[in-house]
Amino acid sequence: MKKSILAITVSIALFSSLSTVAETTKILPIIEQQAQVAGFYQHQVGNTQITALLDGTNFISPTLFKDISQDKVQEILKKYHADQTKGVQTSINAFLVNTGHSLVLVDSGTADCFGAHLGSVLKNLKASGYQPEQVNTILLTHLHPEHSCGVSKNGVANFPNATIYVSDDEADYWLSPKQAEKIPQDKRENYTATVEKIKAALTPYQAKNQFKTFKLGDKIDHFEVINTAGHTPGHFSYKLKTTGEDMIFIGDIVHSHTVQFDQPETAIEYDIDPKQAVQTRLKQFTDYAANGQTIAAPHLPFPGIGHIYSTDGKRYQWIPVLFKD
């Protein structure tokens, strides 16, 4: 009889405990995604400060990768645990370089060209302790809108004291009135829409003679220009020698830290000359992996600063910088 009473008592106590847990679980609020802190990260190299500025997170379709099966794409994404619920995640980053004698912005983000989920470069630049009026120079790797739109908004320059630089070939491709006639008919509508965004962004600077072009061999504010054409005809990267290491701002020679590192021969739909874009990536990756330059990349996971590593010269890995406070 005592054993039965004890068993009943234990059962009641256990039931009561489980009921309490269940009731507690029911009243807990659903935890939703919270707003992240300001998207800037400061990387010190000797006496030079590089501030990575997050414009926002974008998602692209895995079908945009060319000359590779979708099964292979999925295999790579799974291997790197790359969540693609909304698509393949990419960052849009810009980089503010304080050399001690000038303040240089490499690429500029999107402003309002692509919707509210992007366009945070200006906000994050201010959060990092700088003001847009302090920027002296803007180096655009190329004129695609997610790199050039951020220089202005509604016809007003976001960086009123800065001079914008882009390569001769890039300016000719997007800004020459005769170029549209050379674009294949099936791509002309997209080209024209892109040109309209680029021209709207640059107009405030052109009006004040603050838009200039360069050619291979030129130097701008101690930055060496590197021809990395393919993604666009006038795509250039920028090299900055510092007291600690060489920094390379690579632009869009790569869009994915997973697919295009595992299979660097894979182009992306956005490449204007896919074959040349692949050749450029292979050449540059070989150099960066062998010589250890620090890379700043606008479409690799924020802050987009790190190194390129390879064991066999065929496949590569992205090694991001370790967080330093």
Side-chain angles (χ1 to χ4, degrees):
M1 185 65 177
K2 287 182 180 180
K3 289 184 179 180
S4 298
I5 293 172
L6 180 60
I8 292 170
T9 302
V10 170
S11 298
I12 291 171
L14 181 59
F15 178 77
S16 176
S17 175
L18 292 173
S19 297
T20 302
V21 171
E23 288 171 6
T24 303
T25 303
K26 286 179 183 178
I27 64 172
L28 285 175
I30 296 173
I31 304 300
E32 297 181 352
Q33 174 68 48
Q34 303 296 302
Q36 296 285 9
V37 297
F40 70 89
Y41 179 79
Q42 291 177 326
H43 178 72
Q44 195 75 20
V45 183
N47 59 355
T48 301
Q49 182 189 70
I50 293 93
T51 303
L53 302 169
L54 179 65
D55 193 62
T57 302
N58 205 23
F59 298 90
I60 62 174
S61 169
T63 62
L64 293 174
F65 295 106
K66 301 168 70 73
D67 302 319
I68 185 172
S69 72
Q70 283 303 293
D71 286 344
K72 185 63 177 177
V73 170
Q74 296 303 321
E75 177 189 321
I76 296 169
L77 293 171
K78 183 177 181 181
K79 179 169 71 173
Y80 287 96
H81 302 279
D83 176 24
Q84 56 162 325
T85 307
K86 299 178 183 178
V88 181
Q89 181 175 325
T90 62
S91 285
I92 295 178
N93 310 315
F95 301 93
L96 188 67
V97 184
N98 186 344
T99 65
H101 54 78
S102 63
L103 198 58
V104 180
L105 182 66
V106 183
D107 290 329
S108 69
T110 64
D112 57 358
C113 276
F114 292 97
H117 66 298
L118 300 172
S120 294
V121 160
L122 201 61
K123 175 186 72 176
N124 288 323
L125 181 146
K126 293 175 182 177
S128 73
Y130 293 97
Q131 293 300 317
E133 293 80 9
Q134 294 176 278
V135 176
N136 311 111
T137 301
I138 299 174
L139 303 178
L140 298 179
T141 56
H142 61 301
L143 287 175
H144 273 161
E146 79 272 24
H147 299 262
S148 63
C149 271
V151 299
S152 66
K153 187 173 182 179
N154 299 327
V156 178
N158 284 333
F159 305 94
N161 299 316
T163 298
I164 295 175
Y165 291 87
V166 71
S167 76
D168 285 333
D169 289 341
E170 190 72 358
D172 286 343
Y173 183 79
W174 297 107
L175 303 178
S176 171
K178 296 181 179 180
Q179 182 61 37
E181 301 170 8
K182 303 176 184 179
I183 303 298
Q185 193 64 43
D186 62 329
K187 296 183 178 180
R188 194 169 296 179
E189 182 178 353
N190 183 60
Y191 170 84
T192 302
T194 301
V195 166
E196 288 177 1
K197 290 181 177 180
I198 294 169
K199 286 184 175 179
L202 298 179
T203 294
Y205 296 88
Q206 292 173 317
K208 294 185 177 182
N209 198 32
Q210 292 171 229
F211 176 77
K212 297 184 179 182
T213 61
F214 62 80
K215 60 184 183 299
L216 189 63
D218 289 348
K219 277 196 173 183
I220 308 159
D221 260 341
H222 300 281
F223 285 79
E224 177 186 337
V225 300
I226 304 168
N227 188 341
T228 46
H231 178 62
T232 63
H235 185 286
F236 268 70
S237 300
Y238 299 99
K239 180 179 181 178
L240 178 66
K241 285 186 174 292
T242 74
T243 54
E245 58 198 67
D246 289 350
M247 287 285 303
I248 313 286
F249 299 83
I250 64 172
D252 284 12
I253 70 168
V254 64
H255 287 77
S256 168
H257 74 292
T258 56
V259 177
Q260 290 181 304
F261 274 77
D262 195 278
Q263 299 290 320
E265 303 87 354
T266 302
I268 198 166
E269 186 65 31
Y270 308 128
D271 293 332
I272 291 173
D273 186 337
K275 184 177 180 181
Q276 187 180 20
V278 168
Q279 290 173 345
T280 292
R281 179 165 47 258
L282 293 173
K283 179 177 182 296
Q284 298 303 318
F285 272 22
T286 298
D287 180 36
Y288 304 150
N291 297 308
Q293 298 96 326
T294 303
I295 304 302
H299 291 307
L300 298 186
F302 182 77
I305 299 174
H307 295 87
I308 293 174
Y309 172 78
S310 179
T311 56
D312 58 7
K314 296 178 181 179
R315 288 176 173 77
Y316 298 84
Q317 284 184 295
W318 174 242
I319 311 296
V321 291
L322 298 177
F323 180 89
K324 296 177 183 177
D325 60 13

